[in-house]
Amino acid sequence: MKNYFDKFPDSYLESSRRRIQTPSAFARSAFFYVQETGYLKLRESHVASRKNLESYLVVLVLSGSGMLMYDGTIYELHKGSCFFIDCMVPYYHQSSETDPWELIWVHFNGSSSREYYQYFAANSAPAFMPADFPTLRQKLDGLLELNENSDFQTEINSARLIVDILSILLQDITESREEKYPGRLKMTEVKKYLDEHYTEKFSLDELSERFFISKYHLSREFHQYYGTTLNQYVISRRLTRAKKLLRFSVLTLDEIARSCGFYDASYLNRQFKNSEGITASEFRKKWKN
């Protein structure tokens, strides 16, 4: 275990801070929670390696350079780099011999960590250059300072900061993907049309003809760009409108269904059941003042 992250010889370190936490049972079941957060600045190169660790790791490179080996791929890291990985997967990272790095990091788990990570991994390489580096560093600095204490208030605030960090990472990759995506203007036009006409009846063939794009390409590109299918997007918009009418109007279910593009109460109820687990009538009863 001599290569573990917490086994640095003193001669390697210029400065280091580390906070290790044991979450309460409630935090473990309900929150994102900190396992370890820390900061270090090295004088010399060092290798750290792990595998089969039930943890997720976010590292920000504050200065210096090095590399990450993750899932069989090598990623070069420099000042301003960040990586986000699942520590169940074998990995190691090494600081440059000539330019030792300075890092701040958090190991965390809990809540919906896996779902956040799976979305991230489906849309980004593990190592990247975050656009909002200053805010990301501020959140990691805050997490390190906060975890000088070990109490329930610390767990609550740590969970909030971890959500902030993950939100920054996901927003960063989403914006980057949209800016680089070659068909973004076309997909923006399609979405705008759907937002204006979602209550109307139309087919994929009609959309294809309107936007001069094959229906197969249209379906694939919309899903890739917005993370949902055309049909799911339209149904979601229709359901949202139906919810408002169910709560704040006296229209019948058939009238609401036709107004939203579902055409009859039976189809409206079926879509409600699929989405909400209850029928439209049950939704109205629960939410009606």
Side-chain angles (χ1 to χ4, degrees):
M1 298 299 191
K2 64 181 180 180
N3 285 334
Y4 263 36
F5 206 45
D6 51 0
K7 296 291 185 178
F8 289 98
D10 291 341
S11 62
Y12 280 34
L13 292 172
E14 185 170 320
S15 57
S16 175
R17 297 168 62 197
R18 183 186 311 277
R19 303 289 180 260
I20 296 174
Q21 295 283 18
T22 300
S24 66
F26 181 77
R28 191 179 292 274
S29 64
F31 291 164
F32 291 104
Y33 57 85
V34 170
Q35 296 165 309
E36 176 187 286
T37 181
Y39 161 88
L40 67 81
K41 186 172 183 179
L42 291 173
R43 293 193 186 97
E44 301 181 37
S45 176
H46 192 272
V47 176
S49 63
R50 285 193 176 95
K51 63 180 179 179
N52 298 325
L53 181 65
E54 293 185 358
S55 180
Y56 296 89
L57 173 62
V58 174
V59 175
L60 195 61
V61 181
L62 305 181
S63 65
S65 60
M67 58 82 68
L68 167 71
M69 168 72 85
Y70 181 73
D71 201 20
T73 302
I74 294 177
Y75 302 91
E76 298 295 329
L77 303 170
H78 307 277
K79 178 181 178 180
S81 295
C82 179
F83 64 84
F84 177 22
I85 60 175
D86 177 356
C87 299
M88 289 296 291
V89 178
Y91 73 92
Y92 77 84
H93 47 82
Q94 181 174 9
S95 178
S96 165
E97 293 183 0
T98 57
D99 188 23
W101 57 20
E102 177 185 16
L103 307 176
I104 190 165
W105 75 89
V106 60
H107 274 284
F108 71 94
N109 209 332
S111 188
S112 51
S113 300
R114 176 161 297 279
E115 287 72 20
Y116 270 86
Y117 178 76
Q118 287 176 340
Y119 182 87
F120 173 88
N123 292 280
S124 175
F128 61 102
M129 300 290 287
D132 198 358
F133 180 94
T135 303
L136 192 55
R137 177 173 185 179
Q138 179 187 35
K139 299 296 182 180
L140 285 163
D141 282 336
L143 201 57
L144 182 58
E145 293 296 328
L146 178 64
N147 280 271
E148 290 183 358
N149 299 309
S150 298
D151 53 35
F152 188 60
Q153 191 65 39
T154 297
E155 291 181 328
I156 294 172
N157 290 324
S158 292
R160 175 178 54 82
L161 283 172
I162 293 171
V163 170
D164 289 347
I165 290 166
L166 293 174
S167 298
I168 291 169
L169 297 181
L170 296 191
Q171 182 176 1
D172 188 78
I173 62 170
T174 300
E175 291 176 352
S176 176
R177 180 185 62 187
E178 291 178 356
E179 289 173 2
K180 296 176 182 177
Y181 185 66
R184 67 187 177 94
L185 293 180
K186 178 69 74 175
M187 291 303 105
T188 300
E189 291 177 12
V190 172
K191 181 176 177 294
K192 183 174 184 295
Y193 179 83
L194 295 178
D195 288 341
E196 294 172 352
H197 299 276
Y198 66 90
T199 62
E200 302 170 12
K201 183 178 181 180
F202 54 84
S203 68
L204 185 57
D205 286 325
E206 290 170 336
L207 284 177
S208 173
E209 291 179 9
R210 174 176 291 276
F211 292 100
F212 305 101
I213 181 173
S214 80
K215 61 183 181 181
Y216 305 106
H217 188 68
L218 174 59
S219 296
R220 184 178 65 251
E221 296 298 291
F222 190 90
H223 184 271
Q224 182 176 342
Y225 192 62
Y226 290 111
T228 186
T229 67
L230 284 158
N231 188 54
Q232 288 168 339
Y233 183 76
V234 171
I235 288 174
S236 177
R237 291 302 308 269
R238 289 174 176 175
L239 283 172
T240 299
R241 175 177 170 83
K243 288 176 181 178
K244 294 177 183 177
L245 295 176
L246 287 165
R247 291 184 62 184
F248 305 116
S249 81
V250 294
L251 296 176
T252 67
L253 291 189
D254 276 321
E255 289 171 332
I256 291 172
R258 289 193 294 271
S259 173
C260 297
F262 288 123
Y263 310 113
D264 62 49
S266 176
Y267 187 43
L268 172 64
N269 273 322
R270 188 159 64 249
Q271 291 299 333
F272 249 90
K273 193 75 172 179
N274 290 340
S275 174
E276 307 295 319
I278 57 176
T279 66
S281 298
E282 290 169 333
F283 178 90
R284 169 172 266 179
K285 184 177 181 180
K286 287 177 180 292
W287 282 91
K288 198 77 171 177
N289 290 333

